[in-house]
Amino acid sequence: MASALARPLITVYSEKNEKTGTSVHLPVVFKAPIRPDVVSFVHHQMSKNRRQPYAVNKDAGHQTSAESWGTGRAVARIPRVRGGGTHRSGQGAFGNMCRGGRMFAPTKTWRRWHRRINVNQRRFALVSSIAASGVPALVMSKGHMVHDIPELPLVVSDKVQSFNKTKQAVIFLRRIKAWTDVQKVYRSRRLRAGKGKMRNRRRVQRRGPLIIYGEDQGLKLAFRNIPGVDVCSVKKLSLLKLAPGGHVGRFIIWTESAFRALDAIYGTWSSPSSEKKDYNLPTPKMTNTDLSRLLKAEEIRKVLRTPNKRPVRAVRKLNPLRNVRAMLKLNPYAAVLKRKAILTIQKKHLDKQEFLAKKTGVPLQKTKQQVRYEQLIQKRKEAIQKSKAAKPKTAKKAKKAPAAK
Amino acid sequence: MSDTKKKAVPKEGAQKGPAAAKKAPVGNKLPAVPESVLLRRKRRDHERLHKVKTALKAKVDRLKKRREIFKRAERYVKEYRLKEREEIRLARQARNRGNYYIPGEAKLAFVVRIRGINQVSPKVRKVLQLFRLRQINNGVFVKLNKATLNMLRICEPHVTWGYPNLKSVRELIYKRGFGKVQGRRIPITSNEIIENALGKKDGSIICVEDLIHEIFTVGPRFKYASNFLWPFKLNTPTGGWRKKTTHYVEGGDFGNREDTINALLRRMV
């Protein structure tokens, strides 16, 4: 999408934090996909490459001629030190569980200390971390104090490259409001937790801004004594500096020549890199990452089906032979049959009563229900005749056909 | 997603989506309604209209169907009664003439598996599987023909079967009727379940009464109707069995018990 690849102009600031007239197009590297997973992986591998091997002495624990006493001596079968006359004799030896024995799996120097990383992966991670350094949210979330800097990515005139006094460097950092980041470094100075203290890694501090230069004309000397500040040539960018800890979003201060060189070093998508052989920037998986706009887009909405807001849930089965409503749902004619059955019973009962009454001569006292029954029968007769008169063809429900059952 | 914040730290690109670009280009007009909102309104109104229409149509269809089901049920009641009286009439007629009336052989059987899972010989096991009688006290409706009769003979000691009457069929389907819908055992709580499963082809079975009729009268689509019905899971009979290990005619339970299957089913359903 065009807007995602818009390349705005970045103004170059002088070392006194004034806008110089010049501005540079944002190098295309800053539009590369930001993949923290790739960066993390590559960083993890890379950081193993500066390791120094450690191992125990290869003889450790084996400089005895111990032998097991075997069975029958009421002692464990561990090899024991020969001879006599000293505490050591008869003590267990060789095993990792023994005092003075060798450890389990003694560490070896030929452990694979270093890792190789595919060139393309290395470059991908680098490019990702450069891109992330241009996103203020990511830089802030990494913890850098970039509230007051004039612009991100921060590009500064090449005058900075010729600083050779630390004083100049400090004044410069103050002027462009990067000093708070350095102050944060000062405040974060503390002792390392753990045994590293006694292994020449006593003190720990945060990382501050990274200065990337095109040509070192004394810049390194000026900035090297400021705690937290790192300095790096644009031709030799390292992931360990750009994404310290494997996390993207370092605060980077570019000099103008360094910034301009980026397009040539990493290429744009339309033209490959001129410095690196056969390299072009990685293509992102999504060209348009504006998710909220995508989800509202007409083109996408049209193809989706309507959302199912009311899921159909399982209905409890009610026995239709007992539950009238359930029966009527399945078979509407059941109402007719039930009604007929009830009426038939009532009729039979009534008839029997009348017969008995006639037989015994006792006048029948009809119950309320029986009276109502007779009235109902009368009403229905009239209703049927009326409907028959209105519509002779369709005789509706209560058919008075003699259902002899 | 509106970039209304003033840029203390300016973002690298003033990325305005086309939504904002639809704002009034010149002059000091108030911002117009964004295109996405307009589209959404249009879409929503269209959907509402469509929903109302389809609801109305569905209601009309449902009403029509209900009337149709009523008529069919009425017709079947007549039909069953007619058939019953017909048999009686023919029997009487024959007796009057000093003749004998032999009613047709039964077309429908209901088969119940009597015995359990274990120690079943392979041929019998296969036949029971084919009848879908995989569990004890499972029952299925079976059309009787030479093929099925021979199958029943093979698995005889493991099943009891007979000729169900209308009441048995109705009770089974209403009380214990479950249908096979997308491979799942779904209770028959509504005629729509039956219509979707069986009625789409030619509209001959769209309600429970149609289903009962198809089963009882072994119609042309009996196969589909009875296959739609999941094998009935029946209770053990109240009052117990006589003797599961011998044939019915020997005073036991298995095998063909013709009409007395109905008495058994009263106790099992």
Side-chain angles (χ1 to χ4, degrees):
Chain A
M1 250 238 49
S3 63
L5 295 184
R7 295 181 57 195
L9 288 171
I10 312 287
T11 40
V12 179
Y13 290 84
S14 76
E15 77 280 13
K16 296 200 188 70
N17 198 11
E18 298 147 359
K19 289 192 190 172
T20 65
T22 35
S23 45
V24 192
H25 270 290
L26 185 74
V28 187
V29 208
F30 285 89
K31 295 291 178 180
I34 299 175
R35 290 268 250 121
D37 55 327
V38 176
V39 170
S40 174
F41 170 73
V42 174
H43 178 89
H44 195 60
Q45 304 290 74
M46 256 190 203
S47 59
K48 291 181 187 169
N49 290 343
R50 254 192 100 203
R51 296 198 285 180
Q52 287 185 353
Y54 61 84
V56 284
N57 192 337
K58 66 176 168 63
D59 298 327
H62 278 286
Q63 293 178 43
T64 41
S65 60
E67 193 158 339
S68 171
W69 287 355
T71 51
R73 297 249 245 144
V75 290
R77 289 179 278 173
I78 190 86
R80 293 174 183 279
V81 175
R82 325 299 284 293
T86 172
H87 276 303
R88 184 71 177 136
S89 44
Q91 287 182 341
F94 289 158
N96 53 318
M97 59 282 222
C98 299
R99 178 174 184 278
R102 113 194 89 64
M103 62 181 276
F104 162 72
T107 48
K108 304 287 186 204
T109 52
W110 56 81
R111 179 193 296 216
R112 191 168 65 106
W113 302 101
H114 306 97
R115 296 285 181 273
R116 41 176 309 284
I117 309 132
N118 300 333
V119 174
N120 205 22
Q121 261 183 331
R122 262 185 266 154
R123 288 173 180 170
F124 196 121
L126 205 65
V127 146
S128 261
S129 45
I130 294 175
S133 77
V135 180
L138 290 176
V139 178
M140 281 173 114
S141 106
K142 188 130 195 334
H144 294 288
M145 308 299 272
V146 288
H147 305 287
D148 296 321
I149 61 172
E151 189 173 352
L152 198 75
L154 184 55
V155 186
V156 173
S157 80
D158 282 345
K159 208 84 185 319
V160 177
Q161 286 174 175
S162 53
F163 284 171
N164 54 6
K165 298 289 274 174
T166 310
K167 209 183 193 89
Q168 294 172 312
V170 171
I171 289 170
F172 158 70
L173 287 175
R174 288 205 127 103
R175 285 257 170 82
I176 58 162
K177 312 286 187 254
W179 189 247
T180 35
D181 209 19
V182 178
Q183 279 184 320
K184 196 172 179 194
V185 173
Y186 274 108
R187 266 182 262 127
S188 74
R189 290 179 142 182
R190 58 202 183 279
L191 289 179
R192 185 186 294 268
K195 288 270 183 343
K197 281 199 285 302
M198 35 165 125
R199 296 182 183 175
N200 307 327
R201 288 175 246 130
R202 196 160 177 91
R203 305 171 90 224
V204 177
Q205 70 191 24
R206 262 203 102 232
R207 295 232 157 259
L210 172 67
I211 318 250
I212 300 186
Y213 59 86
E215 196 187 319
D216 182 11
Q217 293 158 340
L219 171 128
K220 209 188 286 188
L221 295 172
F223 281 96
R224 74 181 176 188
N225 205 22
I226 305 174
V229 173
D230 282 325
V231 148
C232 194
S233 161
V234 78
K235 294 208 187 337
K236 299 203 180 125
L237 291 175
S238 160
L239 187 70
L240 301 171
K241 290 230 171 83
L242 284 174
H247 303 125
V248 293
R250 181 134 194 217
F251 174 29
I252 302 180
I253 302 173
W254 303 87
T255 61
E256 191 185 339
S257 46
F259 206 62
R260 284 188 195 277
L262 280 176
D263 254 347
I265 295 175
Y266 291 104
T268 69
W269 282 299
S270 44
S271 63
S273 151
S274 41
E275 309 278 317
K276 298 191 196 289
K277 221 195 311 185
D278 291 332
Y279 182 70
N280 205 337
L281 286 172
T283 42
K285 267 224 164 25
M286 283 173 90
T287 45
N288 183 6
T289 48
D290 191 346
L291 200 64
S292 45
R293 277 213 70 229
L294 282 172
L295 291 176
K296 292 182 191 152
E298 203 45 45
E299 297 92 329
I300 289 179
R301 282 273 177 94
K302 213 189 292 185
V303 184
L304 297 174
R305 61 160 173 79
T306 48
N308 203 359
K309 293 276 168 69
R310 241 197 243 149
V312 176
R313 303 240 177 249
V315 195
R316 182 171 237 233
K317 179 182 169 126
L318 298 168
N319 184 1
L321 298 170
R322 285 168 148 253
N323 186 311
V324 179
R325 290 256 176 88
M327 186 52 148
L328 291 179
K329 189 172 179 202
L330 291 173
N331 180 11
Y333 190 68
V336 173
L337 293 172
K338 277 196 205 291
R339 188 179 303 128
K340 192 170 293 173
I342 293 168
L343 289 177
T344 318
I345 292 169
Q346 286 186 333
K347 181 170 194 299
K348 285 212 169 142
H349 193 65
L350 189 58
D351 286 348
K352 186 167 180 191
Q353 300 276 347
E354 283 180 349
F355 178 72
L356 283 176
K358 211 188 288 173
K359 211 70 185 302
T360 59
V362 174
L364 178 62
Q365 276 187 315
K366 296 199 178 135
T367 65
K368 212 189 292 182
Q369 280 171 334
Q370 285 169 333
V371 173
R372 273 184 70 198
Y373 168 75
E374 289 203 305
Q375 288 175 343
L376 177 65
I377 293 293
Q378 191 58 32
K379 258 192 233 160
R380 280 160 73 84
K381 251 196 198 147
E382 291 164 7
I384 286 169
Q385 281 172 353
K386 202 193 288 179
S387 74
K388 268 205 179 138
K391 281 187 186 177
K393 283 279 168 149
T394 54
K396 283 200 14 183
K397 293 187 188 177
K399 283 172 95 168
K400 276 304 223 174
K405 219 9 186 259
Chain B
M1 188 49 210
S2 55
D3 32 276
T4 49
K5 294 184 283 208
K6 268 304 144 204
K7 304 160 193 176
V9 178
K11 288 196 206 164
E12 51 180 320
Q15 287 163 343
K16 290 198 168 96
K22 270 277 176 174
K23 289 191 183 166
V26 278
N28 290 333
K29 289 200 233 156
L30 288 169
V33 181
E35 188 186 0
S36 60
V37 176
L38 286 172
L39 281 171
R40 193 183 342 137
R41 282 185 194 160
K42 189 166 109 185
R43 211 190 307 127
R44 187 187 56 200
D45 294 335
H46 188 256
E47 271 177 15
R48 278 202 190 136
L49 194 64
H50 182 73
K51 225 190 273 186
V52 168
K53 270 204 219 144
T54 45
L56 207 65
K57 186 164 184 300
K59 194 163 178 209
V60 168
D61 279 343
R62 235 185 303 131
L63 224 66
K64 273 204 214 133
K65 242 180 244 158
R66 199 119 172 103
R67 265 192 223 128
E68 175 65 26
I69 292 172
F70 185 92
K71 290 217 179 75
R72 285 192 192 189
E74 198 179 17
R75 181 165 38 102
Y76 294 147
V77 164
K78 243 209 213 150
E79 191 183 313
Y80 298 141
R81 209 182 294 138
L82 218 63
K83 267 216 192 100
E84 201 185 342
R85 302 309 308 173
E86 184 70 11
E87 293 290 308
I88 294 169
R89 182 185 73 82
L90 289 170
R92 283 182 182 162
Q93 188 189 56
R95 251 179 286 137
N96 279 345
R97 311 265 184 82
N99 217 338
Y100 301 99
Y101 170 66
I102 309 292
E105 291 190 0
K107 289 186 283 181
L108 175 70
F110 189 75
V111 186
V112 184
R113 182 171 175 158
I114 300 274
R115 311 204 75 184
I117 284 289
N118 308 100
Q119 303 194 343
V120 181
S121 41
K123 199 184 256 185
V124 174
R125 207 164 11 142
K126 181 64 175 177
V127 170
L128 288 170
Q129 275 174 25
L130 292 173
F131 273 137
R132 297 191 293 158
L133 298 168
R134 285 183 187 252
Q135 196 183 24
I136 193 174
N137 294 337
N138 269 8
V140 291
F141 285 110
V142 171
K143 175 166 55 172
L144 286 177
N145 49 36
K146 178 145 190 240
T148 53
L149 276 168
N150 282 332
M151 285 166 76
L152 285 165
R153 194 168 300 138
I154 291 174
C155 61
E156 198 150 54
H158 293 259
V159 299
T160 179
W161 57 282
Y163 318 133
N165 60 18
L166 180 61
K167 183 171 161 117
S168 298
V169 176
R170 289 185 84 247
E171 281 206 342
L172 279 165
I173 293 184
Y174 273 119
K175 187 172 181 196
R176 303 260 177 182
F178 284 73
K180 183 166 53 167
V181 174
Q182 290 182 338
R184 305 160 87 201
R185 183 171 179 257
I186 305 284
I188 300 176
T189 47
S190 148
N191 288 323
E192 280 180 356
I193 295 169
I194 294 177
E195 186 184 353
N196 289 336
L198 295 167
K200 293 294 181 186
K201 199 108 190 266
D202 56 356
S204 60
I205 307 176
I206 58 171
C207 60
V208 179
E209 282 298 313
D210 282 341
L211 185 64
I212 293 172
H213 178 255
E214 192 70 22
I215 298 279
F216 185 61
T217 59
V218 190
R221 304 203 72 216
F222 175 87
K223 173 187 156 85
Y224 303 99
S226 89
N227 191 272
F228 163 72
L229 286 167
W230 201 276
F232 296 93
K233 294 179 192 276
L234 304 170
N235 267 342
T236 327
T238 58
W241 300 101
R242 302 202 306 194
K243 192 168 197 287
K244 276 208 271 189
T245 45
T246 48
H247 197 291
Y248 186 74
V249 300
E250 299 174 323
D253 282 306
F254 72 66
N256 187 2
R257 57 169 77 197
E258 302 197 358
D259 287 316
T260 60
I261 191 79
N262 294 304
L264 180 65
L265 283 175
R266 293 295 160 272
R267 295 187 289 137
M268 284 181 90
V269 170

